Amino acid sequence: MSLYDDAVLVLKGVEGQEELRQAYLDHLEAHPDGMWKACTAGHVTASALVIDPEQGRVLLTLHRKLRMWLQMGGHCEPGDTTLEAAALREATEESGITGLTLLPGGPVRLDRHPIPAPCHWHFDVQYAVVAEPGAVQEISDESLDLRWFAYDEVAQVADDSVVRLLDATRTRL
């Protein structure tokens, strides 16, 4: 099964957000290259919120280009076999934490947002991953900073998309 086929199956299984889910599926139908960064009409990305439920906190990255506190995530790569694998890879690479585990149940949310040219949209499939107790982060070259935030601090530093992802993740916990 290709990453494209996996994405279509995953998206068909997402509950809620029906209008947005359909927009993702329509985009992929219209753009067979819609999984890849080269698709300038927009492309699917995979992200993951790193959580430490025992301490009630999340790890956010200060994105180097956007200069915003965000969850870990990014573009799918040819070696990714599933969206889950892409999200887990991105979370591990950007956090420096090994041993992350995906929160069961598939994607937590979908979030489509405009991005600077040459592309127009990111169709982000958002997951959550759990860090082992005592996990130590290590900053990557994609970040200006990495920091743990208590759940109630996230709304003060991050945008509404991250807050909605945290809320949906906490509901699933």
Side-chain angles (χ1 to χ4, degrees), residues 11-172:
L11 290 166
K12 286 183 177 181
V14 170
E15 294 183 12
Q17 296 186 274
E18 283 80 11
E19 188 175 321
L20 189 55
R21 178 176 53 87
Q22 190 59 53
Y24 279 47
L25 291 168
D26 292 346
H27 173 75
L28 288 175
E29 185 176 329
H31 303 281
D33 62 342
M35 295 299 302
W36 311 114
K37 186 177 181 179
C39 181
T40 57
H43 46 270
V44 173
T45 56
S47 67
L49 184 67
V50 177
I51 59 171
D52 176 355
E54 286 189 14
Q55 294 192 28
R57 62 187 187 158
V58 299
L59 183 65
L60 299 178
T61 178
L62 184 56
H63 194 277
R64 183 171 295 283
K65 290 181 183 175
L66 299 176
R67 302 199 184 276
M68 297 171 59
W69 288 104
L70 300 170
Q71 74 276 13
M72 314 301 150
H75 299 104
C76 296
E77 295 181 2
D80 295 326
T81 56
T82 64
L83 284 175
E84 282 186 348
L88 186 57
R89 176 187 50 74
E90 286 286 343
T92 301
E93 288 175 359
E94 292 183 14
S95 72
I97 299 174
T98 58
L100 296 171
T101 57
L102 284 155
L103 193 63
V108 176
R109 293 195 84 257
L110 303 176
D111 185 76
R112 180 180 62 185
H113 47 270
I115 59 170
C119 188
H120 298 292
W121 294 99
H122 272 176
F123 293 83
D124 196 29
V125 181
Q126 301 177 326
Y127 292 85
V129 294
V130 178
E132 294 177 359
V136 177
Q137 73 274 12
E138 185 176 321
I139 195 164
S140 76
D141 60 357
E142 295 183 39
S143 302
L144 293 171
D145 196 4
L146 279 176
R147 193 175 305 163
W148 289 101
F149 292 94
Y151 292 158
D152 62 358
E153 295 175 323
V154 172
Q156 298 162 14
V157 298
D159 71 5
D160 289 341
S161 170
V162 178
V163 172
R164 287 189 300 267
L165 176 56
L166 173 59
D167 290 345
T169 298
R170 291 181 70 190
T171 298
R172 186 169 294 177

